[in-house]
Amino acid sequence: MNYYKNKTTNHTTLSNRDLVAERPEKYELSTRDDFKRQHEKNVIKFQIKSLKSQLAATDYQVMKYAEGWISEEDYAPIKAQRQSLRDQINALEAQLG
């Protein structure tokens, strides 16, 4: 095992190569496909977060409707938009598994 002295802190540490050699199952090498899948998951998570933010932006209108400040006629498009956002969120979450 290749140890080297860290001159600034005066203690012995293992190099990354030694750590991998010591426990290869813990340090699996990722493939290009793994990175691609992770990137796709991150994109979906970002889209979900964005949609939830849009949903939260209309929460105050729901409260106005619940308190009677907005009529059913005025609230109908908001309700449809919110349902569309929830459907999109559910579809994306299903892709994540």
Side-chain angles (χ1 to χ4, degrees):
M1 203 165 279
N2 297 327
Y3 290 97
Y4 68 94
K5 278 285 203 191
N6 186 331
K7 293 179 183 178
T8 58
T9 58
N10 200 21
H11 67 276
T12 305
T13 58
L14 289 171
S15 70
N16 288 341
R17 183 176 294 156
D18 292 331
L19 291 172
V20 172
E22 191 174 296
R23 295 186 60 200
E25 71 283 352
K26 185 176 179 182
Y27 300 96
E28 291 182 24
L29 298 176
S30 297
T31 64
R32 187 185 263 303
D33 290 337
D34 292 337
F35 286 117
K36 185 177 179 182
R37 269 187 251 117
Q38 187 59 45
H39 174 70
E40 289 169 356
K41 284 183 179 182
N42 288 341
V43 168
I44 291 172
K45 287 177 184 179
F46 177 78
Q47 290 172 336
I48 291 170
K49 189 174 183 177
S50 175
L51 290 168
K52 285 183 177 183
S53 176
Q54 292 176 36
L55 192 61
T58 61
D59 283 351
Y60 75 96
Q61 293 170 322
V62 173
M63 294 305 296
K64 282 186 171 185
Y65 173 72
E67 293 175 352
W69 293 99
I70 297 177
S71 69
E72 178 73 35
E73 182 180 289
D74 293 335
Y75 181 66
I78 297 166
K79 184 177 179 181
Q81 176 193 17
R82 289 176 60 84
Q83 185 59 52
S84 172
L85 291 170
R86 284 191 295 273
D87 291 343
Q88 290 175 48
I89 291 168
N90 290 338
L92 289 170
E93 287 177 340
Q95 286 180 16
L96 285 179

